[in-house]
């Protein structure tokens, strides 16, 4: 499945903050399909570095967390 491959690539990009800078727009498109653990990792990166250029990815991540993980204690304190 092509989408699964793309999502796996996006999830792998979360290993480094520099990848987030390079592929931010690509990652934004697929946040909604990422596994919970990867979304938690993304939240951690976003809050740790607080880069003003990341407003688009921050907003999309917050939207996904609100829609998919509302009330989940693993996301407490991120948004």
């Amino acid at each position: 499945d092509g989408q699964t491959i793309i999502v796996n690539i996006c999830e792998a990009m979360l290993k480094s903050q520099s990848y987030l800078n390079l592929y931010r727009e690509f990652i934004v498109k697929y946040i909604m399909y990422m596994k919970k653990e990867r979304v938690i990792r993304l939240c951690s990166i976003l809050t740790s570095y607080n880069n003003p250029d990341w407003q688009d990815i921050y907003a999309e991540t917050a939207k996904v967390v609100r829609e998919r993980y509302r009330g989940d204690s693993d996301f407490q304190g991120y948004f």
Side-chain angles (χ1 to χ4, degrees):
D1 183 21
Q3 182 171 324
T4 301
I5 293 168
I6 292 172
V7 171
N8 288 338
I9 291 168
C10 287
E11 290 176 341
M13 289 177 192
L14 298 179
K15 292 182 180 182
S16 170
Q17 175 212 355
S18 60
Y19 292 147
L20 190 60
N21 284 327
L22 291 171
Y23 304 108
R24 186 179 75 240
E25 292 175 11
F26 184 68
I27 293 169
V28 167
K29 286 183 174 182
Y30 293 97
I31 293 170
M32 70 186 88
Y33 303 108
M34 290 183 184
K35 296 175 191 142
K36 177 182 173 180
E37 295 79 21
R38 297 287 90 203
V39 177
I40 291 170
R41 169 72 177 143
L42 179 57
C43 289
S44 177
I45 293 170
L46 293 174
T47 56
S48 294
Y49 294 101
N50 197 18
N51 187 328
D53 295 333
W54 292 352
Q55 293 307 311
D56 56 345
I57 197 165
Y58 186 88
E60 186 63 24
T61 303
K63 177 182 162 193
V64 168
V65 168
R66 281 192 306 271
E67 290 176 2
R68 291 179 59 194
Y69 303 109
R70 183 182 324 192
D72 190 323
S73 62
D74 291 335
F75 292 93
Q76 226 172 18
Y78 285 122
F79 300 102

